[in-house]
């Protein structure tokens, strides 16, 4: 039986983001797994709305960073400013010091600024002039990027892509839902007045409970076989890293917890595998991430599933 509070959270989010049930579910599962989410799609399909909605629904602080070509690392992390009254430098935190961070159009800024997120995403802390500052919990980066064929974009380096637990696309809405979107008033007005469904403290508790979800040895071997196949597949030049294997296990645990179980079943690994692994592999032929997703799905179709 599915986890009641999480179903309520999903329904509350879907009252704003219409017709995108799977995208909403995967965003919630990524949050449960203490991960970060990369959303790639054309402008105007609800990427920003998804990030804002999840922050309001779990009563967390939210900051949006618009990535541009002239954005600096200090614009994200913060900077030391001299206080003449106290005659010392004071740290002024940047927008990264919040629960839910929307890195909007992350591939419109240069790699140096993109890398400013790396320590925050991986370590949940930042270092400024030999001092370390801890970020609030829960902490999640939801980054959006436009397809690479759009003008003025910089491809994310592999090290940055690997920090995202999951990569999804939202896509255009179905006709019936698009009508509602067109006729409705501003979605941001509805989000602003939204009452939280789950508190941030409950999310932290759930994240700890997700860590306790068990996995049988046969399923762990199955997961590792999937990872190994990405490293010896003829179409893949660079396979999945150990971090990718860790993230797939975390997502599988979060999937089981979402469904109200304290143990993993094969579907918890197989269903999200392409979304977790597709952006981590590099194919020998230069193609799009969606092609890598298809290769992952082909690998899954060939491997026997433990019973």
């Amino acid at each position: 039986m599915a986890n009641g509070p999480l179903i309520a959270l999903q329904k509350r989010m879907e009252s704003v983001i219409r017709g995108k049930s799977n995208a909403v579910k995967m965003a919630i599962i990524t949050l449960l797994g203490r991960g970060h989410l990369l959303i790639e799609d054309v402008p105007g399909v609800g990427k920003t709305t998804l990030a804002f909605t999840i922050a309001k629904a779990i009563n967390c602080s939210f900051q949006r960073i618009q990535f541009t070509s002239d954005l600096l690392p200090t614009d994200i992390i913060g900077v030391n400013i001299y206080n003449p009254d106290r005659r010392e430098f004071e740290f002024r935190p940047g927008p990264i010091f919040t629960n839910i961070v929307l890195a909007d159009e992350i591939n419109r800024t240069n790699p140096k600024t993109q890398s400013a997120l790396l320590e925050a995403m991986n370590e949940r802390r930042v270092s400024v002039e030999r001092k370390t500052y801890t970020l609030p919990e829960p902490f999640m980066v939801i980054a959006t990027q436009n397809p690479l064929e759009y003008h003025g974009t910089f491809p994310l380096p592999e090290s940055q892509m690997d920090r995202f637990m999951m990569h999804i696309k939202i896509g255009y809405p179905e006709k019936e839902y698009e009508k509602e979107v067109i006729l409705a008033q501003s979605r941001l007005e509805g989000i602003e007045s939204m009452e939280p469904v789950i508190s941030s403290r409950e999310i932290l508790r759930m994240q700890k409970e997700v860590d306790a979800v068990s996995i049988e040895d046969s399923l762990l071997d199955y997961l590792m076989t999937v990872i190994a196949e990405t490293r010896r597949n003829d179409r893949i030049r660079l396979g999945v890293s150990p971090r990718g294997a860790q993230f797939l296990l975390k997502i599988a645990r979060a999937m089981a917890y979402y469904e109200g179980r304290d143990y993993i079943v094969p579907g918890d690994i197989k269903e999200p595998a392409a979304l977790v692994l597709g952006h981590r592999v590099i194919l020998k032929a230069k193609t799009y991430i969606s092609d890598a997703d298809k290769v992952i799905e082909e690998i899954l179709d060939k491997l026997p599933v433990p019973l």
Side-chain angles (χ1 to χ4, degrees):
M1 184 176 179
N3 190 304
L6 294 176
I7 295 300
L9 172 61
Q10 179 164 351
K11 287 182 178 178
R12 181 61 57 87
M13 292 179 64
E14 287 182 14
S15 68
V16 177
I17 306 165
R18 305 288 291 163
K20 296 298 173 185
S21 178
N22 193 61
V24 171
K25 177 181 176 181
M26 291 306 166
I28 294 171
I29 286 171
T30 303
L31 174 66
L32 290 174
R34 292 193 180 94
H36 308 291
L37 181 66
L38 177 62
I39 308 175
E40 181 180 11
D41 222 315
V42 296
V45 294
K47 302 187 296 292
T48 302
T49 304
L50 175 61
F52 193 16
T53 303
I54 195 170
K56 291 292 290 185
I58 62 175
N59 198 26
C60 281
S61 57
F62 172 81
Q63 286 281 355
R64 176 180 178 270
I65 308 172
Q66 178 61 55
F67 279 67
T68 57
S69 59
D70 59 350
L71 194 72
L72 300 175
T74 52
D75 295 328
I76 298 172
I77 296 173
V79 65
N80 284 321
I81 298 178
Y82 184 72
N83 186 329
D85 295 331
R86 301 178 61 179
R87 296 185 179 181
E88 62 181 19
F89 283 91
E90 294 179 348
F91 178 65
R92 299 289 177 86
I96 196 72
F97 286 85
T98 194
N99 296 122
I100 307 295
V101 180
L102 173 62
D104 212 358
E105 297 185 309
I106 190 174
N107 60 332
R108 286 199 177 276
T109 196
N110 60 73
K112 182 178 180 180
T113 304
Q114 291 173 359
S115 66
L117 285 173
L118 285 178
E119 183 184 15
M121 292 172 66
N122 203 39
E123 305 294 336
R124 283 169 163 70
R125 61 187 182 186
V126 296
S127 299
V128 179
E129 296 185 9
R130 292 179 291 183
K131 284 189 177 181
T132 300
Y133 302 90
T134 302
L135 297 173
E137 291 283 354
F139 175 71
M140 180 183 187
V141 173
I142 300 178
T144 73
Q145 71 171 11
N146 296 327
L148 296 180
E149 61 266 26
Y150 276 78
H151 178 70
T153 59
F154 299 83
L156 290 178
E158 286 79 10
S159 59
Q160 181 90 8
M161 293 287 286
D162 202 41
R163 260 65 175 190
F164 288 101
M165 185 170 281
M166 191 178 289
H167 169 272
I168 66 171
K169 292 186 177 182
I170 294 180
Y172 293 114
E174 298 290 336
K175 184 178 179 180
E176 58 181 300
Y177 295 114
E178 191 164 11
K179 278 185 178 180
E180 295 179 18
V181 172
I182 293 171
L183 294 173
Q185 295 179 345
S186 171
R187 285 191 286 184
L188 292 180
E189 293 177 4
I191 302 172
E192 288 285 4
S193 61
M194 177 184 293
E195 291 293 327
V197 178
I198 298 178
S199 69
S200 58
R201 183 172 295 181
E202 287 178 289
I203 291 294
L204 291 175
R205 174 184 60 79
M206 289 180 177
Q207 288 176 338
K208 291 180 180 178
E209 291 174 351
V210 166
D211 293 338
V213 172
S214 63
I215 180 171
E216 291 185 354
D217 287 342
S218 62
L219 287 176
L220 184 57
D221 290 340
Y222 171 68
L223 186 150
M224 295 309 301
T225 301
V226 172
I227 300 300
E229 286 297 320
T230 69
R231 298 170 183 171
R232 53 175 173 252
N233 188 281
D234 292 338
R235 297 172 60 187
I236 297 176
R237 177 163 58 89
L238 180 65
V240 176
S241 68
R243 181 186 287 118
Q246 289 178 331
F247 281 174
L248 182 55
L249 177 56
K250 286 182 178 181
I251 285 292
R253 283 181 164 140
M255 288 278 290
Y257 185 85
Y258 182 91
E259 297 297 338
R261 287 182 272 102
D262 60 358
Y263 58 90
I264 292 173
V265 299
D268 297 328
I269 298 171
K270 191 171 183 178
E271 181 183 343
L275 301 178
V276 179
L277 306 180
H279 62 289
R280 304 177 193 282
V281 302
I282 299 177
L283 301 184
K284 292 179 180 178
K286 187 176 181 181
T287 53
Y288 298 107
I289 291 177
S290 59
D291 295 314
D293 292 350
K294 293 176 183 176
V295 174
I296 299 297
E297 289 171 357
E298 290 173 5
I299 290 173
L300 291 167
D301 289 340
K302 294 177 181 178
L303 293 177
V305 178
L307 299 176

